[in-house]
């Protein structure tokens, strides 16, 4: 298994559809109304609305988005690349974020005060981000303080966390990380302190500490916010280098070590490539691990005829398989499904957002409260400044 950090990847810029059907039937006047998913004119409507908005709108699409949405993205990327991309278009009045809530919050923090960030469906949250609640983190810090370790602990929060958690991290001298730069973020933190409180994905934290930094599993403890004092004694906290929050991704957390063993026994010469949100034993059994950008670059660069079993979200794996008919790209485990919250963003929601903008209405704006944004920006800027 090789633990890797990716470089940047080329953009997928795909604009499909032609014609305009702005006057087609829709449920009018109610901001909750969506065009029906079966409407055959949706592609034409999205194309027309986007063309009408021109440079005023910038559409970002995470790699886990549906094809029907990705085709309208001006840029696609993992959460790190999209955070950078969002900050790189200060001229765009509207940033339509096809991803999940924490990504849109980060985009709002990184864009200017005159820019408005829109999440086409407010129900597109993230179960992992929801596993670290602000009050729970404040209480955990008190537990660390009582154990005498808060002063030597640097918080690092995965991008997949609320703006409030990012703000807490910024205020306490820490940084945000993504799956692209978690190793660099941990090294940065351990140059400044003796311990890391890693939020909220225990798997990314553990995988990076053990496989990236060479720590042992004994250097890691798991803080359970549902137990008194996190379920840890002061001595355990004092002995640990990594204090991992007990959170996980409900998609990647479903891959198992037996999926890896099974694919190796069924598929000759298979290369197993997984995301670092997978469990430690899955990552140990894989050949390569890396962020979504890394997964894409690896398959893009692989020789024709090679075979890949991929452990990440299904929309991305299906797109890779379609893009590389000369390679065999298979899903690591057939019962793991799409990320249900990423999939909330569909073409009807995107059409509604874009058409509303053409009428001068901003539907589903994501706006982070200024004080929270200021502190969260500290943590995001520290990430963006990582070498
Ligand atoms: P990256 O975009 O950092 O690869 O993370 C994957 C993910 O789960 C996003 O929600
Ligand atoms: Fe959250 Fe996992 Fe879905 Fe990413 S894939 S948005 S971490 S639940």
């Amino acid at each position: 298994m090789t633990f890797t950090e990716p470089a940047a990847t080329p953009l997928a810029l795909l604009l499909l559809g032609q014609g305009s059907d702005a006057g087609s039937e829709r449920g009018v006047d109610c901001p909750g109304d969506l065009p029906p998913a079966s409407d055959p004119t949706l592609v034409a409507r999205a194309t027309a609305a986007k063309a009408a908005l021109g440079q005023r709108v910038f559409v970002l699409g995470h790699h886990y988005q549906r094809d029907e949405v990705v085709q309208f993205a001006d840029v696609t990327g993992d959460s790190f690349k999209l955070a950078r991309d969002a900050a790189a278009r200060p001229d765009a009045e509207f940033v339509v974020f096809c991803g999940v809530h924490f990504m849109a919050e980060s985009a709002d923090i990184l864009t200017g005060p005159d820019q408005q960030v829109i999440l086409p469906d407010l129900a597109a949250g993230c179960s992992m981000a929801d596993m670290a609640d602000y009050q729970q983190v404040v209480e955990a810090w008190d537990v660390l303080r009582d154990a005498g370790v808060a002063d030597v602990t640097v918080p690092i929060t995965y991008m997949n966390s609320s703006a409030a958690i990012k703000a807490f991290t910024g205020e306490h001298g820490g940084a945000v990380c993504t799956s692209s730069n978690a190793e660099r973020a941990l090294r940065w933190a351990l140059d400044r302190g003796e311990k890391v409180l890693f939020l909220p994905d225990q798997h990314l934290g553990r995988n990076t500490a053990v496989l990236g930094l060479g720590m042992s599993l004994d250097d890691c403890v798991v803080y359970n916010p549902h137990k008194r004092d996190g379920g840890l004694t002061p001595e355990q906290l004092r002995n640990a280098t990594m204090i991992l929050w007990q959170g996980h991704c409900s998609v990647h957390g479903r891959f198992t070590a037996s999926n890896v063993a099974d694919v190796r026994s069924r598929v000759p010469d298979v290369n197993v490539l997984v995301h670092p949100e997978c469990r430690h034993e899955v990552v140990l059994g894989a050949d390569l691990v890396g962020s979504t950008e890394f997964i894409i670059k690896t398959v893009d660069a692989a020789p024709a005829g090679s075979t890949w079993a991929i452990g990440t979200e299904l929309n991305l794996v299906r797109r890779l398989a379609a893009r590389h008919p000369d390679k065999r790209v298979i899903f690591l485990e057939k019962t793991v499904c799409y990320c249900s919250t990423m999939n909330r963003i569909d073409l009807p929601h995107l059409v509604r957002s874009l058409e509303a903008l053409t009428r001068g209405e901003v539907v589903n704006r994501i706006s982070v409260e200024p004080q929270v944004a200021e502190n969260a920006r500290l943590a995001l800027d520290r990430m963006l400044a990582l070498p």
Side-chain angles (χ1 to χ4, degrees), residues 219-235:
D219 293 323
C220 307
V221 290
V222 178
Y223 182 97
N224 180 347
H226 303 292
K227 285 193 175 162
R228 189 186 173 87
D229 295 339
L232 297 168
T233 63
E235 197 191 359

Side-chain angles (χ1 to χ4, degrees), residues 66-206:
R66 300 160 178 259
D67 290 349
E68 68 190 40
V69 167
V70 164
Q71 66 182 319
F72 291 103
D74 293 309
V75 291
T76 57
D78 64 4
S79 42
F80 177 66
K81 181 167 170 294
L82 292 179
R84 283 214 304 215
D85 288 344
R89 274 290 308 274
D91 55 309
E93 221 174 306
F94 308 115
V95 174
V96 175
F97 210 114
C98 299
V100 289
H101 193 268
F102 68 80
M103 297 178 182
E105 280 187 329
S106 298
D108 181 54
I109 293 163
L110 291 167
T111 49
D114 297 334
Q115 294 180 281
Q116 303 192 62
V117 176
I118 291 136
L119 182 65
D121 185 350
L122 290 182
C126 165
S127 52
M128 177 204 283
D130 291 345
M131 288 175 197
D133 163 83
Y134 176 75
Q135 200 47 44
Q136 289 173 333
V137 175
V138 169
E139 283 164 21
W141 199 256
D142 285 343
V143 172
L144 266 57
R145 189 171 288 124
D146 291 346
V149 300
D151 288 347
V152 291
T153 301
V154 178
I156 295 288
T157 190
Y158 192 20
M159 183 67 104
N160 303 22
S161 57
S162 67
I165 302 294
K166 291 186 180 82
F168 177 94
T169 304
E171 268 182 282
H172 291 80
V176 174
C177 77
T178 70
S179 53
S180 298
N181 58 23
E183 185 178 326
R184 273 170 287 161
L186 282 194
R187 290 190 193 284
W188 175 90
L190 290 170
D191 281 346
R192 283 156 184 79
E194 292 168 20
K195 299 176 193 298
V196 171
L197 171 63
F198 194 91
L199 301 148
D201 184 12
Q202 59 169 304
H203 300 305
L204 179 65
R206 184 181 296 107

Side-chain angles (χ1 to χ4, degrees), residues 193-378:
E194 292 168 20
K195 299 176 193 298
V196 171
L197 171 63
F198 194 91
L199 301 148
D201 184 12
Q202 59 169 304
H203 300 305
L204 179 65
R206 184 181 296 107
N207 288 329
T208 310
V210 174
L211 302 166
L213 272 69
M215 287 187 213
S216 83
L217 288 175
D218 291 339
D219 293 323
C220 307
V221 290
V222 178
Y223 182 97
N224 180 347
H226 303 292
K227 285 193 175 162
R228 189 186 173 87
D229 295 339
L232 297 168
T233 63
E235 197 191 359
Q236 284 175 305
L237 286 169
R238 284 195 282 270
N239 289 339
T241 305
M242 291 292 291
I243 303 162
L244 305 169
W245 194 262
Q246 189 173 305
H248 66 274
C249 166
S250 39
V251 176
H252 294 92
R254 289 174 61 102
F255 295 108
T256 62
S258 53
N259 295 153
V260 178
D262 177 57
V263 82
R264 289 202 191 282
S265 70
R266 280 189 297 112
V267 183
D269 298 326
V270 68
N271 299 286
V272 179
L273 170 55
V274 302
H275 193 279
E277 286 173 19
C278 292
R279 294 160 189 266
H280 189 57
E281 57 272 23
V282 174
V283 168
L284 282 182
D287 299 297
L288 290 166
V289 55
S291 78
T292 46
E293 285 289 320
F294 173 76
I295 291 172
I296 294 168
K297 282 174 75 88
T298 303
V299 178
D300 284 352
S306 56
T307 302
W308 296 87
I310 302 190
T312 192
E313 209 268 353
L314 189 49
N315 275 309
L316 174 57
V317 181
R318 287 171 61 100
R319 213 152 33 239
L320 281 172
R323 192 156 96 192
H324 295 287
D326 58 330
K327 303 166 198 175
R328 188 170 173 210
V329 176
I330 55 178
F331 197 49
L332 181 57
E333 147 61 341
K334 59 184 178 305
T335 66
V336 174
C337 56
Y338 299 102
C339 170
S340 58
T341 48
M342 281 276 181
N343 268 257
R344 298 294 304 217
I345 312 291
D346 56 9
L347 199 44
H349 282 87
L350 181 60
V351 167
R352 179 181 63 160
S353 298
L354 293 173
E355 288 185 346
L357 290 176
T358 64
R359 297 190 299 273
E361 293 164 33
V362 177
V363 176
N364 294 351
R365 180 173 178 193
I366 301 298
S367 180
V368 179
E369 206 234 303
Q371 187 59 55
V372 174
E374 193 182 309
N375 288 328
R377 174 124 205 181
L378 289 174

Side-chain angles (χ1 to χ4, degrees), residues 40-64:
T41 67
L42 284 174
V43 167
R45 287 172 63 174
T47 306
K50 201 159 176 260
L53 290 161
Q55 295 298 306
R56 295 174 67 205
V57 72
F58 185 41
V59 181
L60 297 158
H62 189 270
H63 291 309
Y64 295 163

